[in-house]
Amino acid sequence: MTYMKRGTKEFKKVNFALFAGGFCTFAILWGTQPLLPEIAKEFQISPAASSLSQTSTTIALAISLLIAGTLSEIYGRKRVMTISLVASSMLAVLTGFMPNLDLLITCRILLGITLAGLPAVAMAYLGEEIDPKSLGMAIGLYISGNSFGGMAGRIITGILTDYFGWRTALTGIGVVSLAATFIFWSFLPQSTNFKVQTFKVKQFGIGLFSHFKTPGLIHLFLIGFLLSAGFVSLYNYIGFQLINPPYSLSQTLVGFIFIVYIVGTFSSTWMGMLADQYGKSRMLQLSIIILMFGVCITLNLNLWIKIFGIAIFTFGFFASHSIASSWVGRLAAQNKAQAASLYLFSYYFGGSIVGTASGTFYINFGWIGIVIMIAVLSTISLLISISLGAISSRKIKFLKVQ
């Protein structure tokens, strides 16, 4: 097999294409998150109920990820990703024209289904085409595109909402995503190490559940679930916190809060490189500790200190997600797309379920309820990562003896 190595022209093209694809996917996926207060106001519903416009998409995405990865094994990596991005961008344009909440949620569910193609396949593509010594950096760059897309999508929708309304904002994200899709299709090379497989239901089931027997993978699935649960909860309800007194920020300023995603763009790449150098276990644990430190800082009432805490939290989250994602590709000996899909299923399922359920904590206990919940989830993640590190160490020692 021939792999693309860091520094080569092909390596740069792959990372630029997947950066554009990640931007497109996550700008669409999280486009409604900063608009939840506006949606709640227009349809006269609670914060938790308004979050359904967001979590309906992530739930549909989580389930569809299990199928999208398998489709790419049959029809090819690039084809599935490209179709996914085109369909999602067109649906995103239509979302802004939905006249009521039911149709909005229906359209967002369809978006969740079509969006699954890129995240389910991208990590498998990288795992097959990129040199293992450069994989951590490549995954980090891809996730940096995700974080940049999430940031830009939120900022764009915030600005457009203040000037033209939230419906125009959602349509605008779709138009921008169509342009990003064209860049993705133009730059991404066809797979060279991919082998077409025939679909068989029995083999699909066996392959899917075999990943739960692989030492360490279930730990990563749980970590993805818990970290995403905390991350989505924080960003779902920080907008409600900031538009109310004593801050009383406009929708545009709330959207600009998401500029802290820049630190996630940096941390996912940088910490991914450090994980290649110093070990995934050590850097994953450090990243989770940084995340916990950041969320505690957000308890401070000073706006700038609160934003600083959000930035530290975001740094730790994207670093953790980057390391865990690349670790899945290394642990899965076969059916890498399925393994990546299972990790992302856990990741988005956690964000979907807890992201809405945590609204109860916010309604009853305010911001401190959200912070305590995230701190507990992060502590559990840290303990699981320590256990994962022990499993990894034993495996390395065994291989050395062999």
Side-chain angles (χ1 to χ4, degrees):
M1 289 186 178
T2 55
Y3 292 107
M4 301 177 197
K5 297 182 179 180
R6 180 181 175 183
T8 62
K9 182 180 179 180
E10 290 76 13
F11 183 85
K12 293 175 182 177
K13 287 179 66 176
V14 166
N15 284 299
F16 183 64
L18 287 177
F19 186 95
F23 169 89
C24 174
T25 300
F26 290 89
I28 293 172
L29 177 62
W30 300 111
T32 58
Q33 195 172 50
L35 308 182
L36 296 184
E38 293 292 323
I39 293 172
K41 182 179 178 181
E42 175 159 339
F43 296 115
Q44 297 295 303
I45 53 179
S46 69
S50 71
S51 71
L52 288 173
S53 63
Q54 179 61 57
T55 55
S56 62
T57 311
T58 50
I59 288 174
L61 172 64
I63 296 171
S64 302
L65 285 167
L66 300 176
I67 302 170
T70 300
L71 288 176
S72 75
E73 303 280 4
I74 303 169
Y75 298 108
R77 308 297 194 206
K78 183 176 180 178
R79 180 185 297 178
V80 170
M81 289 190 282
T82 302
I83 292 173
S84 167
L85 293 178
V86 171
S88 299
S89 298
M90 294 177 69
L91 276 171
V93 171
L94 293 175
T95 303
F97 296 94
M98 297 299 104
N100 56 58
L101 182 62
D102 290 340
L103 286 176
L104 174 64
I105 291 176
T106 300
C107 194
R108 293 286 296 174
I109 290 172
L110 293 174
L111 266 174
I113 295 170
T114 58
L115 281 170
L118 186 105
V121 180
M123 287 193 292
Y125 176 95
L126 290 171
E128 291 168 347
E129 306 300 328
I130 301 298
D131 179 67
K133 294 181 180 179
S134 305
L135 185 59
M137 180 184 180
I139 294 281
L141 286 168
Y142 162 63
I143 290 177
S144 72
N146 299 353
S147 66
F148 185 75
M151 175 193 72
R154 290 167 168 97
I155 292 174
I156 292 170
T157 53
I159 295 173
L160 291 177
T161 296
D162 266 348
Y163 286 96
F164 305 105
W166 63 269
R167 298 180 186 279
T168 301
L170 292 180
T171 298
I173 287 295
V175 173
V176 172
S177 296
L178 280 171
T181 298
F182 178 76
I183 293 173
F184 169 86
W185 174 79
S186 300
F187 280 83
L188 188 73
Q190 290 288 352
S191 301
T192 56
N193 298 325
F194 168 74
K195 294 181 179 179
V196 176
Q197 298 182 22
T198 55
F199 177 74
K200 295 180 180 179
V201 175
K202 184 177 180 180
Q203 289 183 348
F204 170 75
I206 293 173
L208 196 66
F209 288 102
S210 68
H211 295 299
F212 291 98
K213 299 178 182 179
T214 302
L217 275 182
I218 194 169
H219 292 68
L220 290 170
F221 299 157
L222 289 171
I223 288 171
F225 179 96
L226 294 167
L227 292 179
S228 177
F231 179 75
V232 173
S233 296
L234 184 141
Y235 277 102
N236 267 1
Y237 301 106
I238 191 63
F240 289 96
Q241 181 79 357
L242 296 178
I243 64 172
N244 291 321
Y247 310 107
S248 301
L249 300 184
S250 69
Q251 194 64 52
T252 296
L253 289 176
V254 170
F256 269 103
I257 295 298
F258 295 100
I259 204 168
V260 298
Y261 263 51
I262 289 175
V263 301
T265 302
F266 167 75
S267 71
S268 58
T269 304
W270 185 53
M271 295 294 277
M273 292 172 62
L274 291 179
D276 286 339
Q277 186 175 356
Y278 297 106
K280 290 179 171 33
S281 177
R282 184 182 302 175
M283 301 314 297
L284 177 59
Q285 291 166 31
L286 175 61
S287 299
I288 294 174
I289 291 171
I290 292 172
L291 179 154
M292 295 169 67
F293 180 65
V295 76
C296 291
I297 293 176
T298 66
L299 287 171
N300 194 292
L301 293 178
N302 182 280
L303 178 61
W304 292 108
I305 295 177
K306 188 181 289 288
I307 293 172
F308 175 72
I310 295 171
I312 296 298
F313 171 86
T314 304
F315 180 100
F317 169 78
F318 277 104
S320 303
H321 178 39
S322 173
I323 295 167
S325 299
S326 62
W327 209 342
V328 169
R330 292 295 299 274
L331 288 180
Q334 54 187 356
N335 295 320
K336 292 181 183 291
Q338 274 193 350
S341 296
L342 279 171
Y343 170 79
L344 291 172
F345 169 81
S346 303
Y347 175 87
Y348 288 111
F349 194 71
S352 302
I353 300 301
V354 183
T356 293
S358 56
T360 304
F361 285 86
Y362 182 74
I363 292 169
N364 292 309
F365 305 107
W367 188 247
I368 190 172
I370 296 292
V371 171
I372 291 174
M373 186 203 73
I374 294 174
V376 171
L377 295 177
S378 303
T379 301
I380 298 171
S381 299
L382 182 61
L383 294 174
I384 294 172
S385 69
I386 293 171
S387 174
L388 176 61
I391 291 173
S392 180
S393 296
R394 288 196 299 268
K395 185 176 181 180
I396 292 172
K397 289 178 181 179
F398 175 78
L399 291 173
K400 286 182 178 179
V401 171
Q402 293 294 96

